[in-house]
Amino acid sequence: MADKLEVTSSYLSAVENGKRNVPKDWVNILINEYSLNADEQRELLQAIEGSKISNKIDMKGYGNEDKTLIMAFARELKDLDESNKMKIREILSNHNKGGSR
């Protein structure tokens, strides 16, 4: 597989063991090399999304207070209980539906 992906076996191992994200360019290679059908492609994309250890957030255009809020949320999310997470989801859902802010 490392040869098909044109990477070293140690890099592939790091991805397999969750130490690195799956590179975006691997998706098409995996789909083509293993002739994945639509269901298998969807499953692959879900697995890749679920395995991410980091994401980049474009903070261009945000003020310092918003950047601080974004980073605080990212740091504290894992410690929030489900009740508080639900409240945040509701706030965001209402905002997206044009509800009160």
Side-chain angles (χ1 to χ4, degrees), residues 4 9 11 13 18 21-22 32-33 36 39 42 48-49 54 64 69 88 90-91 99-100:
K4 289 180 182 185
S9 57
Y11 185 84
S13 177
N21 284 338
V22 176
N32 294 326
E33 285 292 327
L36 301 182
D39 288 337
R42 215 174 358 269
I48 289 171
E49 188 62 32
S54 67
N64 286 338
L69 176 61
I88 293 169
E90 288 175 15
I91 291 168
S100 61

Side-chain angles (χ1 to χ4, degrees), residues 1 25 41 83 91:
M1 183 182 275
D25 60 335
Q41 289 178 35
S83 173
I91 291 168

Side-chain angles (χ1 to χ4, degrees), residues 13-55:
S13 177
V15 173
E16 291 173 331
N17 291 307
K19 294 179 181 172
R20 293 196 177 269
N21 284 338
V22 176
K24 290 179 185 178
D25 60 335
W26 284 18
V27 174
N28 287 331
I29 295 169
L30 293 169
I31 289 170
N32 294 326
E33 285 292 327
Y34 296 100
S35 303
L36 301 182
N37 65 36
D39 288 337
E40 293 167 331
Q41 289 178 35
R42 215 174 358 269
E43 189 176 336
L44 173 66
L45 292 172
Q46 288 173 344
I48 289 171
E49 188 62 32
S51 72
K52 284 187 177 179
I53 57 172
S54 67
N55 277 310

Side-chain angles (χ1 to χ4, degrees), residues 71-81 85 88-89:
M71 295 309 298
F73 178 73
R75 280 190 301 273
E76 300 298 327
L77 179 63
K78 68 179 179 292
D79 295 328
L80 290 176
D81 62 26
K85 288 179 186 179
I88 293 169
R89 285 186 195 102

